[in-house]
Amino acid sequence: MESITKTAQTWLTDFFDADTKKEIQQLIENDPEELKERFYKDLEFGTGGMRGVMGVGTNRINKYTLGKNTQGLSNYLKKTYTDNDIKVVIAYDCRHNSKTLAKTVADVFSANGIRVYLFSDLRTTPELSFAVKHLGCHAGIVLTASHNPPEYNGYKVYWADGGQIVPPQDGEIISEINALSFEDIKFDKDESLIHLIDEEVDEAFFDASVSNGNFNAKGKDDFKIVFTSLHGTSITAIPEVLKRAGYNNVTIIEEQAVPNGDFPTVESPNPEEPEALKMAIEKAEEIGADMVVGTDPDSDRLGIAVRNLEGNIELLNGNQTMVLMTKFLLDQYKQKGFKGNEFIATTIVSTPMMEQMAKAYGVEFKTALTGFKWIGKMIKDFPSSTFIGGGEESFGYMVGDFVRDKDAVTSTLLACEIAASAKANGSSFYKDLIDAYVQFGFYKEKLISLTKKGMSGAEEIKQMLIDFKENPVESVQGSKLLWIEDYNTSTAKNVQTGEKKPINIPKSNVLIYETEDGTRIAARPSGTEPKVKFYISTNAKLDKAADYYSVNSQLETKIEGILSELNL
């Protein structure tokens, strides 16, 4: 505790503003536990950049922690691009303090002689990714905490290709940041280097989104959509993109259309949670809509609900939407004729069905760690290959490579194209998904997410992963364990034969069991939230669409059995 207090006292110098100093003094005198939570560590970059609770302290998002990030990044940019007029672009979402913090970040860049393009108002994360390349910038920043609770904010860094920073750059940038003290931050802005941007980038992004997501589907006039932005940024883009692509029958949930960092109408602004889309689904039932789309605050994730075989609106999971979007794109490429250099991609905790489809279409399949930065890196690493599309189970998808992060704007349009086309052909999004199960195998997934907050929670998560590794199960629902994939040691081991295979992707704290029947169970701590996540994937053969409900019921029973066996 003494070292924590000493760290906190370094924030009482004249460099820090009066309000910060006053708050820290009160914590030192009156609330040692809260002081500990705020200063026991520095906020770190995770799979989605830096994300944390706002407030004073080294373990909080504030002008000083973000200022230090920005100073370190400025130093790195100047070392990397010695002869250039360095340019960065900054966007921010609907969260509390996002606009103020974005201006602080812009000020620090400008104080370092770096030219800044700052969006004049909130914009989506995919538009920021697009803007980096469109404006010829060397880096980009978006201030967002995605779908985290209202007290959070965050800071994601993008490089010149429009993708998030990846190794070795992220480590080099972190080293620059860690070499600084807070007093090294230059807050002395140069307003002449800060340029506000808006419509000129919007227009280019909307055009690119429509050209990548619009496949001239039939039946658009007869297709009813209910859309909600869940108080986030997508209201600035999705209605306009849908309109330009010919969708005129779009009902917007007005109560959720106003950006608001409190997210007053939802428990969580996360389209993965059925509760978040409740208002939109009720409206869809009321007006007889075909599809519901909801996006998270920074508009990189989308939740889709469609009519099932009974005609009721059902929320699909990220694996289901990813599978059908990818199949649709593969069919479009197949019609034109594959050139032999195409690939699709997903993450190690997403559905194995993606690999089965890649085999069936004869395209390359690439898999990556969780986080879209790794899929963006694939595009950069294989410039002669063509990225068709790809996603991850956590409701993110990317169409082509004009944006280098998950993109709910273009993906929403693509989902509408698939569903409108299916309806015009006497089918539906849901029926097409079942047909895909018949064709490639029926894969059913389940995610269990356990929240463990604070310092003690971090220790608990660490121990759970150790137990999962050191005390593996022998079988899962009667199917013997075959492989243990340990991404920390980059080794996959066949527990039956002792055979070992290298895993050729970066190290990560992930462990995956695979059984003889293809059941997969993955465990990983979240990189951006105090959570440990368990991903279950089961599969079965589906001979015909008419058997869907009985086979689905069998797989649901199997998943419940797995959860019981693992005490989850």
Side-chain angles (χ1 to χ4, degrees):
M1 190 65 208
E2 193 181 328
S3 66
I4 287 169
T5 306
K6 275 185 179 170
T7 304
Q9 283 169 339
T10 64
W11 282 50
L12 297 175
T13 67
D14 287 344
F15 178 77
F16 295 88
D17 64 73
D19 289 343
T20 296
K21 288 190 284 191
K22 186 179 173 186
E23 188 172 342
I24 288 169
Q25 192 61 53
Q26 284 175 342
L27 289 171
I28 290 171
E29 290 168 9
N30 305 314
D31 198 343
E33 277 308 305
E34 180 62 17
L35 186 77
K36 187 161 96 174
E37 284 296 337
R38 293 185 184 211
F39 282 97
Y40 82 90
K41 66 170 187 174
D42 292 345
L43 268 187
E44 299 158 358
F45 276 78
T47 52
M50 178 183 270
R51 206 181 293 179
V53 175
M54 289 177 276
V56 303
T58 58
N59 188 32
R60 292 289 183 265
I61 293 282
N62 53 64
K63 67 182 279 192
Y64 299 105
T65 51
L66 294 195
K68 193 174 167 187
N69 281 354
T70 307
Q71 186 61 52
L73 181 55
S74 298
N75 294 351
Y76 184 77
L77 283 163
K78 288 162 89 170
K79 283 181 182 176
T80 307
Y81 299 107
T82 49
D83 300 327
N84 292 55
D85 171 23
I86 302 170
K87 297 182 286 188
V88 300
V89 55
I90 302 169
Y92 56 91
D93 71 2
C94 58
R95 289 187 173 268
H96 298 306
N97 304 316
S98 277
K99 187 166 191 166
T100 310
L101 288 169
K103 180 61 168 69
T104 299
V105 170
D107 289 349
V108 175
F109 278 129
S110 73
N112 283 277
I114 292 171
R115 191 172 302 281
V116 181
Y117 297 101
L118 174 64
F119 277 102
S120 60
D121 206 345
L122 76 172
R123 290 295 186 277
T124 68
T125 288
E127 183 165 346
L128 181 277
S129 172
F130 172 82
V132 175
K133 281 200 298 181
H134 177 69
L135 296 170
C137 289
H138 299 86
I141 305 286
V142 62
L143 278 293
T144 177
S146 189
H147 57 275
N148 282 46
E151 65 269 22
Y152 280 75
N153 214 321
Y155 179 98
K156 284 166 75 171
V157 182
Y158 293 76
W159 211 241
D161 65 324
Q164 289 182 58
I165 54 167
V166 290
Q169 274 174 334
D170 54 0
E172 291 166 358
I173 291 167
I174 290 164
S175 293
E176 287 287 346
I177 295 165
N178 291 343
L180 299 172
S181 68
F182 287 101
E183 283 79 5
D184 293 321
I185 306 166
K186 295 177 185 172
F187 284 119
D188 198 8
K189 65 191 176 196
D190 179 350
E191 288 288 0
S192 71
L193 291 175
I194 301 173
H195 311 278
L196 293 182
I197 52 169
D198 37 52
E199 286 178 15
E200 65 277 26
V201 182
D202 295 343
E203 284 297 317
F205 175 63
F206 297 160
D207 286 349
S209 189
V210 171
S211 68
N212 280 271
N214 184 13
F215 292 89
N216 301 313
K218 294 181 291 180
K220 292 184 184 186
D221 291 338
D222 189 38
F223 189 71
K224 276 190 184 178
I225 303 158
V226 172
F227 167 69
T228 175
S229 58
L230 297 179
H231 304 289
T233 61
S234 64
I235 199 70
T236 67
I238 287 177
E240 183 60 27
V241 164
L242 289 176
K243 184 175 156 193
R244 292 184 185 201
Y247 290 94
N248 297 309
N249 212 332
V250 180
T251 300
I252 295 169
I253 302 300
E254 294 299 337
E255 301 95 316
Q256 297 177 329
V258 179
N260 186 334
D262 286 324
F263 312 112
T265 64
V266 290
E267 195 73 28
S268 165
N270 184 356
E272 292 178 78
E273 309 281 348
E275 188 65 26
L277 299 185
K278 186 169 179 281
M279 288 174 83
I281 288 170
E282 285 171 359
K283 176 58 77 172
E285 296 290 19
E286 179 194 320
I287 66 172
D290 300 290
M291 177 179 266
V292 169
V293 179
T295 56
D296 69 345
D298 68 324
S299 190
D300 58 359
R301 296 169 194 243
L302 75 163
I304 292 172
V306 295
R307 296 205 174 269
N308 61 21
L309 300 182
E310 266 86 49
N312 300 318
I313 294 281
E314 182 180 318
L315 177 64
L316 301 178
N317 66 39
N319 285 308
Q320 291 171 310
T321 55
M322 166 172 64
V323 159
L324 207 55
M325 285 178 178
T326 306
K327 183 183 182 299
F328 183 86
L329 292 174
L330 285 164
D331 286 335
Q332 300 298 316
Y333 271 80
K334 188 178 179 182
Q335 281 171 23
K336 293 180 197 163
F338 288 118
K339 294 187 170 66
N341 68 338
E342 296 90 353
F343 75 97
I344 62 171
T346 189
T347 66
I348 57 175
V349 296
S350 299
T351 179
M353 190 171 169
M354 288 285 281
E355 186 170 8
Q356 297 308 313
M357 290 199 304
K359 285 176 183 169
Y361 281 89
V363 302
E364 193 178 351
F365 171 75
K366 293 183 188 292
T367 185
L369 294 175
T370 306
F372 250 77
K373 63 181 183 181
W374 302 110
I375 295 177
K377 186 176 187 294
M378 289 172 184
I379 298 168
K380 187 161 68 171
D381 289 349
F382 298 94
S384 59
S385 296
T386 299
F387 176 71
I388 291 175
E392 59 184 358
E393 51 68 44
S394 57
F395 287 56
Y397 199 82
M398 188 160 81
V399 184
D401 68 355
F402 80 103
V403 164
R404 298 289 174 92
D405 203 351
K406 47 189 180 283
D407 172 8
V409 179
T410 315
S411 299
T412 294
L413 174 55
L414 176 63
C416 294
E417 290 288 292
I418 296 167
S421 178
K423 185 181 179 185
N425 292 328
S427 182
S428 71
F429 197 98
Y430 203 87
K431 286 177 185 170
D432 281 3
L433 178 63
I434 294 170
D435 289 343
Y437 290 150
V438 172
Q439 193 175 349
F440 307 108
F442 187 174
Y443 288 79
K444 189 172 183 69
E445 280 77 29
K446 175 93 173 176
L447 168 65
I448 300 293
S449 188
L450 307 176
T451 300
K452 307 282 182 183
K453 288 187 176 177
M455 205 169 165
S456 59
E459 283 302 314
E460 212 177 325
I461 288 170
K462 191 176 169 186
Q463 192 56 49
M464 286 178 91
L465 269 293
I466 290 169
D467 292 343
F468 203 65
K469 178 179 177 176
E470 293 182 355
N471 306 299
V473 297
E474 290 181 7
S475 64
V476 177
Q477 287 290 283
S479 179
K480 283 185 183 173
L481 185 63
L482 186 59
W483 290 95
I484 297 179
E485 299 169 9
D486 185 347
Y487 288 81
N488 244 338
T489 61
S490 303
T491 307
K493 182 183 177 183
N494 186 315
V495 296
Q496 295 181 17
T497 66
E499 178 197 352
K500 288 186 178 180
K501 293 192 299 192
I503 297 172
N504 295 315
I505 62 176
K507 288 186 188 331
S508 183
N509 192 13
V510 182
L511 201 78
I512 300 179
Y513 296 158
E514 184 171 332
T515 68
E516 289 177 333
D517 68 0
T519 296
R520 284 172 69 83
I521 301 161
R524 67 174 278 271
S526 169
T528 52
E529 299 171 272
K531 291 181 177 180
V532 59
K533 297 183 177 184
F534 293 88
Y535 306 79
I536 319 286
S537 176
T538 58
N539 66 88
K541 198 172 186 318
L542 185 63
D543 290 319
K544 54 185 186 295
D547 297 339
Y548 170 72
Y549 278 119
S550 62
V551 177
N552 185 54
S553 179
Q554 289 166 26
L555 290 177
E556 279 183 354
T557 302
K558 184 172 183 177
I559 287 170
E560 287 307 313
I562 292 168
L563 297 179
S564 176
E565 280 182 19
L566 295 174
N567 297 316
L568 292 175

